């Protein structure tokens, strides 16, 4: 099966799909979409994804698939080897809950904090505090869930690779949440030496993203 993945590593959703495909050892072509040039709004791209969003997966002889959750579920069903999800249906539902909370809610609420950490937008003190309060409250919910289901946070849990970049970028843009979600922060530190993670972190665009965020955060801290 031939796969082509359209994405950008600034997008945690793109990274999640890329990480999942990498872990499952799938062969695919990766095409970077330049968000600054608004390539996701180009007519030829909109013909594949009328929402004009990333990621997008093109599978030979099939219509393109968009939305990261739908892509991951398709890849999981069509390539059951090296599964990203636990076999137990209840454990799988908890993993999906954690994913939806982080990727579908917290990341969206933290978008402005993320963009501010990249220097792309400027937030007033009031705006920053408001955004931080929303993210803090939802991160506390996430931490409570992780505490109740701590047995799922084991070092060989492949689905957590997909969490890695999303949590890493979020914590760079808003370092205070590391103390709120101490379990996820500890897990993030533990799996940072995983071979799959190290390979993903060595991608040039990922390195540039990290350096940019570190640089801007350090400037704000001075």
């Amino acid at each position: 099966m031939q796969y082509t993945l359209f994405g950008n590593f600034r997008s945690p959703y793109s990274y999640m799909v890329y990480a999942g495909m990498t872990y499952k050892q799938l062969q695919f072509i990766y095409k970077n979409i330049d968000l600054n040039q608004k390539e996701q709004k180009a007519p030829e791209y909109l013909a594949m994804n009328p929402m004009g969003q990333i990621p997008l997966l093109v599978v030979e002889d099939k219509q393109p698939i968009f939305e990261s959750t739908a892509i991951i579920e398709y890849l999981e069903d069509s390539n059951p080897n090296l599964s990203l999800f636990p076999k137990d249906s209840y454990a799988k539902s908890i993993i999906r809950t954690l994913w939806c909370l982080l990727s579908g809610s917290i990341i969206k609420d933290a978008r402005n904090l993320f963009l501010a950490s990249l220097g792309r937008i400027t937030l007033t003190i009031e705006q920053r505090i408001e955004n931080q309060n929303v993210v803090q409250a939802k991160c506390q919910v996430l931490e409570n869930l992780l505490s109740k289901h701590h047995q799922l946070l084991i070092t060989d849990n492949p689905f957590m690779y997909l969490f890695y970049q999303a949590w890493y970028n979020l914590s760079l843009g808003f370092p205070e949440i590391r103390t709120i979600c101490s379990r996820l922060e500890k897990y993030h530190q533990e799996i940072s030496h995983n071979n799959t993670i190290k390979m993903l972190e060595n991608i040039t665009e990922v390195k540039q993203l990290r350096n940019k965020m570190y640089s801007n955060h350090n400037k704000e801290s001075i």
Side-chain angles (χ1 to χ4, degrees):
M1 189 72 71
Q2 182 175 333
Y3 301 107
T4 302
L5 175 63
F6 294 79
N8 184 292
F9 283 104
R10 214 170 73 200
S11 159
Y13 307 106
S14 295
Y15 185 102
M16 285 179 173
V17 174
Y18 193 108
M21 297 182 75
T22 300
Y23 173 79
K24 293 176 81 66
Q25 299 179 13
L26 300 175
Q27 299 296 315
F28 62 98
I29 299 169
Y30 177 71
K31 293 191 176 182
N32 184 69
I33 296 296
D34 191 329
L35 302 178
N36 293 329
Q37 298 298 319
K38 300 202 179 291
E39 291 181 352
Q40 75 276 22
K41 303 299 182 183
E44 58 271 23
Y45 187 84
L46 289 174
M48 295 186 292
N49 181 357
M51 297 297 291
Q53 299 172 343
I54 53 174
L56 169 73
L57 182 69
V58 174
V59 185
E60 60 179 340
D61 301 328
K62 290 182 173 58
Q63 290 295 315
I65 307 170
F66 48 93
E67 296 296 338
S68 58
T69 304
I71 294 173
I72 289 294
E73 300 241 346
Y74 165 76
L75 294 172
E76 204 40 21
D77 290 342
S78 58
N79 300 276
N81 293 334
L82 295 174
S83 177
L84 291 165
F85 294 95
K87 292 183 179 179
D88 179 76
S89 58
Y90 179 73
K92 187 185 296 185
S93 71
I94 298 302
I95 289 291
R96 283 179 170 144
T97 299
L98 295 173
W99 183 19
C100 289
L101 179 57
L102 180 62
S103 65
S105 184
I106 294 175
I107 291 176
K108 289 181 178 179
D109 288 328
R111 175 176 170 78
N112 285 340
L113 294 172
F114 175 73
L115 292 176
S117 70
L118 289 172
R120 296 184 59 82
I121 65 171
T122 301
L123 295 177
T124 65
I125 294 177
E126 292 77 12
Q127 288 172 327
R128 182 179 291 275
I129 291 175
E130 181 181 358
N131 286 346
Q132 287 178 344
N133 287 341
V134 171
V135 174
Q136 282 179 326
K138 291 190 176 182
C139 281
Q140 188 60 65
V141 174
L142 179 62
E143 176 67 6
N144 293 341
L145 282 172
L146 292 172
S147 298
K148 291 179 181 178
H149 305 286
H150 59 87
Q151 73 277 9
L152 296 178
L153 281 181
I154 53 179
T155 54
D156 62 348
N157 183 344
F159 190 81
M160 296 305 291
Y161 302 158
L162 279 64
F163 271 54
Y164 186 89
Q165 191 258 12
W167 177 254
Y168 195 177
N169 285 355
L170 186 58
S171 62
L172 281 176
F174 184 14
E176 293 87 344
I177 61 173
R178 292 173 182 164
T179 60
I180 300 174
C181 287
S182 56
R183 289 181 183 272
L184 193 54
E185 177 63 17
K186 180 176 182 291
Y187 185 83
H188 153 254
Q189 293 172 359
E190 289 176 352
I191 68 169
S192 62
H193 304 296
N194 176 277
N195 287 334
T196 300
I197 294 296
K198 287 195 290 186
M199 187 281 291
L200 291 166
E201 290 297 302
N202 278 327
I203 296 173
T204 301
E205 190 177 356
V206 176
K207 284 184 174 180
Q208 292 174 342
L209 173 65
R210 300 282 191 256
N211 291 338
K212 177 75 172 175
M213 295 182 75
Y214 273 125
S215 174
N216 285 328
H217 175 65
N218 289 338
K219 288 178 183 178
E220 291 180 357
S221 301
I222 295 175

